[in-house]
Amino acid sequence: MLPLTQGGINIKKIMISITTILILIIGSGIVTAAEISVQPGGSIQTAINNASSGDVILLKPGTYTENIIIDKDNLAIRSESGDPENTIIKASSSGAHVLSVQADSVRISGLKITGTKSSYAGVQLSGCNNCIVENNKLLNNGYGIYLLSSKGSTISNNIVTNIGQ
């Protein structure tokens, strides 16, 4: 059998080279998850608004005062230290949930979530699937963790105290 050549050029080697280059070009277009750090005084909501699916919002120890809406799938919001005693989210408004999750596959962990004793929750999961809320401390909320039309979520190792009106 004769080698596949064209004027002394091995066509098989050229095809392998072209295929390799195409794979590298296609592979370079794949986006990887980003880790977005937020410092106290910064906005968690802004980080969420600028995030893409698969990103991790990493909160530095400190206090954050805001009510947050999470409406992007597949995000993780967690404390850098993993210790809810030093990474605190306090409600800025008594007329909203501290964290309102309206997306699938969201993970919230290692946070102290403090409300205003109103009828709103520290964490509300609304119409979400497969979320994880773990290792948090929730206090002074109308409800600790409130699930509404949500399924397949895991709620574990949370401490909920001083809830209700």
Side-chain angles (χ1 to χ4, degrees):
M1 178 177 235
L2 296 173
L4 296 173
T5 60
Q6 180 71 25
I9 300 174
N10 187 328
I11 295 175
K12 186 175 181 182
K13 286 184 181 179
I14 292 173
M15 293 304 292
I16 290 172
S17 295
I18 290 172
T19 303
T20 302
I21 291 169
L22 286 173
I23 290 171
L24 290 173
I25 290 170
I26 292 169
S28 68
I30 297 172
V31 177
T32 59
E35 190 173 274
I36 302 167
S37 290
V38 181
Q39 299 281 343
S43 170
I44 300 166
Q45 187 67 61
T46 298
I48 292 167
N49 294 346
N50 293 325
S52 298
S53 180
D55 287 352
V56 175
I57 312 290
L58 188 64
L59 306 180
K60 301 284 186 179
T63 301
Y64 302 82
T65 305
E66 59 186 309
N67 295 71
I68 300 160
I69 298 172
I70 303 165
D71 58 0
K72 290 186 181 176
D73 294 341
N74 196 27
L75 290 182
I77 295 107
R78 63 181 180 87
S79 67
E80 180 182 61
S81 68
D83 182 1
E85 289 302 322
N86 67 18
T87 309
I88 303 156
I89 301 175
K90 293 175 66 174
S92 63
S93 168
S94 62
H97 305 291
V98 182
L99 291 164
S100 179
V101 182
Q102 303 165 9
D104 295 335
S105 302
V106 171
R107 181 182 207 123
I108 299 167
S109 62
L111 305 171
K112 180 188 264 185
I113 302 165
T114 305
T116 60
K117 289 289 276 180
S118 68
S119 60
Y120 291 92
V123 176
Q124 181 207 37
L125 303 177
S126 178
C128 343
N129 299 304
N130 306 314
C131 293
I132 298 171
V133 180
E134 64 183 357
N135 302 320
N136 299 291
K137 186 173 184 181
L138 299 101
L139 58 138
N140 296 329
N141 296 288
Y143 302 93
I145 301 168
Y146 183 69
L147 282 73
L148 177 66
S149 302
S150 298
K151 59 185 175 182
S153 294
T154 302
I155 312 296
S156 65
N157 297 322
N158 296 287
I159 298 169
V160 179
T161 61
N162 202 16
I163 62 168
Q165 296 180 355

